[in-house]
Amino acid sequence: MCFWGLEEANTEKSFEVTVLKDHFTIRTVSKALNAIKVPSSKTLYTGRVTHTARITPKYPKNFTSILKKAGVNLKSVTFSSNGKKIAPVTEKGTVTGLKAGKATITTTITLSNGQTKKLKTKISVQRPYLDISGKTSVKSGRTITLKVKKYGVSGTAQWSVNKTRIATINKRNGKLKGKRAGSATVTVKVGSCKKTCKVRVKRAREAQDD
């Protein structure tokens, strides 16, 4: 008997199974590769606080097992910056804010089978600044408390007011007391940063009419 036709059919079938298996493996690995995430954006500040940030890829839980089953390894993870004078990045993914501006960090993940994934992180580098929150008007004889939010700066806030006949303020906690009707400028300083705001003191009767 001649089994040539049967052997040929089995070979073709085996080839089809192999192709399907390889196709499934590539799709599975591609799906896992596309599931990797990095931060879409980060804000850094020039100076000592929040001066650096680390870009760390987040892999899906089963990423290692998928690669192992497919016979694939994680070959390399590299980082590059398109704004080295603003925010350079090290080979380990540490970004440093050098001066105000914007840059994009590209994370490239390469597998041993040649598949790659590029991920972008937008970096905004800003100068340190302060922001004041709280009411900006107070009735004479009453108190309000102003608060400061720090961006890229650390230290104790120091409060002051330019017209102490209009209002007084606790230099440590920002509690302001209205003394007489009028307007005054409040200043808060943290290190070399400062922020000002206008505060209006109303007469008791004027505040009731409002």
Side-chain angles (χ1 to χ4, degrees):
M1 295 178 64
C2 180
F3 296 97
W4 183 83
L6 181 60
E7 289 176 356
E8 184 180 53
N10 288 336
T11 301
E12 290 178 354
K13 185 176 182 181
S14 177
F15 176 75
E16 289 177 0
V17 170
T18 300
V19 170
L20 288 172
K21 183 179 178 181
D22 290 345
H23 182 64
F24 175 77
T25 299
I26 292 172
R27 287 186 61 187
T28 303
V29 172
S30 296
K31 187 176 180 180
L33 196 60
N34 288 331
I36 301 173
K37 304 292 182 184
V38 295
S40 60
S41 63
K42 280 186 175 292
T43 300
L44 301 177
Y45 299 93
T46 57
R48 296 181 180 178
V49 179
T50 323
H51 190 45
T52 62
R54 183 77 177 268
I55 306 296
T56 304
K58 185 176 181 181
Y59 300 94
K61 291 181 179 180
N62 57 347
F63 186 70
T64 302
S65 62
I66 289 174
L67 294 188
K68 187 176 181 179
K69 289 178 181 179
V72 178
N73 297 317
L74 179 60
K75 184 178 180 181
S76 65
V77 179
T78 60
F79 304 89
S80 62
S81 172
N82 69 347
K84 295 180 179 180
K85 293 183 179 180
I86 296 172
V89 63
T90 68
E91 61 181 15
K92 292 185 178 181
T94 299
V95 187
T96 302
L98 297 182
K99 66 178 183 178
K102 295 183 183 297
T104 298
I105 304 300
T106 301
T107 303
T108 304
I109 299 168
T110 304
L111 303 182
S112 59
N113 66 352
Q115 288 181 270
T116 62
K117 176 68 175 180
K118 292 182 182 291
L119 300 156
K120 307 286 187 180
T121 302
K122 293 181 179 179
I123 303 294
S124 175
V125 183
Q126 302 178 14
R127 295 182 180 87
Y129 68 97
L130 306 173
D131 194 19
I132 298 174
S133 62
K135 293 182 178 179
T136 55
S137 65
V138 61
K139 188 190 300 185
S140 59
R142 298 292 182 87
T143 62
I144 58 173
T145 299
L146 298 174
K147 295 182 179 180
V148 61
K149 191 167 184 180
K150 309 166 189 176
Y151 296 90
V153 63
S154 64
T156 303
Q158 296 287 328
W159 297 86
S160 62
V161 63
N162 69 332
K163 296 179 181 178
T164 54
R165 69 180 185 279
I166 301 294
T168 58
I169 192 167
N170 186 303
K171 67 178 183 179
R172 293 183 179 179
N173 60 23
K175 185 176 286 187
L176 180 142
K177 182 176 182 179
K179 295 178 66 177
R180 58 186 294 181
S183 296
T185 300
V186 172
T187 300
V188 61
K189 290 184 178 181
V190 179
S192 60
C193 294
K194 70 176 182 178
K195 177 74 174 179
T196 63
C197 71
K198 290 283 187 181
V199 174
R200 182 187 176 198
V201 180
K202 302 178 182 180
R203 296 185 183 90
R205 185 174 179 179
E206 180 184 1
Q208 290 175 356
D209 291 342
D210 290 347

